[in-house]
Amino acid sequence: EDFYKQKLIWIELADKGRFALDDSDNFMTLNGTYILTGKDLEYLCCILNNPVISWDFNTFCISSGVGTNQWRELYVRNLLIPCIPKDSQKLFFKLLHDITYLEKENKSSVILQKELNQMVYDLLQLTFEEINFIESQ
C-alpha cells in the first residue's frame, strides 16, 4: 500500500543523490530502487538532491567500484537532515515545484536549481570556501 502514497523514489547505484518525488501516488518500482513515505517529502527531496548530501554520503557509504555509490536505505537514513518548521519549508516546496514544471516543459531550471542549492547551503551555514569545495567534487 505504500506504493499508493506520496513517496520519494531513488535508485541504489548512483553517482550522486537522485531522489524523485512521486506526487501521483501510483508508481511502482523495481528491484534496485527504494521508496520513502511519510511527512515532509518535498523538503527531503530538496535536501537529498543537494551536492552537500552527495559529498557527505561519499564519506561513509560503500562504493560500487565503478564510479557509483550504493545508496542503500541503511546509509541514507544516517544522513543528517536539518529539521526546520513547516512554514520555513514553503520556499523549498515552491522552488521544487517550479523546477519540476520547467523540466516537464523541457525548459532550463539551472537558475532555480542553483537558488535551491544556495538555500540548502545557507541552512547548513556553509562558507563560500566549503561550497566551492563541495561543488568541485
Side-chain angles (χ1 to χ4, degrees), residues 6-70:
Q6 182 188 46
K7 61 192 159 293
L8 282 180
I9 301 171
W10 75 96
I11 59 175
E12 179 178 344
L13 293 175
D15 59 337
K16 62 181 180 178
R18 296 187 185 270
F19 293 79
L21 183 67
D22 174 17
D23 273 334
S24 67
D25 306 335
N26 64 1
F27 283 109
M28 302 286 183
T29 63
L30 298 172
N31 61 337
T33 62
Y34 293 92
I35 66 170
L36 173 69
T37 60
K39 298 179 182 179
D40 304 323
L41 295 178
E42 292 162 317
Y43 170 69
L44 287 173
C45 188
C46 293
I47 301 297
L48 291 169
N49 282 315
N50 187 274
V52 73
I53 295 298
S54 294
W55 174 84
D56 182 37
F57 194 81
N58 286 336
T59 66
F60 64 85
C61 73
I62 295 175
S63 170
S64 68
V66 292
T68 58
N69 292 319
Q70 296 181 13

Side-chain angles (χ1 to χ4, degrees), residues 16-137:
K16 62 181 180 178
R18 296 187 185 270
F19 293 79
L21 183 67
D22 174 17
D23 273 334
S24 67
D25 306 335
N26 64 1
F27 283 109
M28 302 286 183
T29 63
L30 298 172
N31 61 337
T33 62
Y34 293 92
I35 66 170
L36 173 69
T37 60
K39 298 179 182 179
D40 304 323
L41 295 178
E42 292 162 317
Y43 170 69
L44 287 173
C45 188
C46 293
I47 301 297
L48 291 169
N49 282 315
N50 187 274
V52 73
I53 295 298
S54 294
W55 174 84
D56 182 37
F57 194 81
N58 286 336
T59 66
F60 64 85
C61 73
I62 295 175
S63 170
S64 68
V66 292
T68 58
N69 292 319
Q70 296 181 13
W71 286 78
R72 293 183 180 171
E73 178 271 337
L74 71 122
Y75 303 124
V76 170
R77 88 167 83 145
N78 287 323
L79 292 166
L80 300 176
I81 308 295
C83 292
I84 62 173
K86 199 75 157 166
D87 286 348
S88 299
Q89 294 179 18
K90 288 181 182 176
L91 188 52
F92 287 92
F93 300 164
K94 181 175 179 349
L95 281 171
L96 178 64
H97 287 288
D98 290 347
I99 290 166
T100 302
Y101 172 78
L102 288 173
E103 290 175 351
K104 284 181 182 177
E105 296 292 317
N106 292 320
K107 297 181 180 176
S108 177
S109 63
V110 172
I111 293 171
L112 291 181
Q113 188 62 56
K114 286 184 179 190
E115 185 178 337
L116 181 57
N117 284 345
Q118 188 59 51
M119 286 175 52
V120 174
Y121 299 148
D122 291 345
L123 183 64
L124 298 171
Q125 301 177 345
L126 297 183
T127 66
F128 179 75
E129 291 80 17
E130 291 168 329
I131 294 167
N132 284 339
F133 174 79
I134 287 166
E135 290 186 347
S136 70
Q137 300 301 302

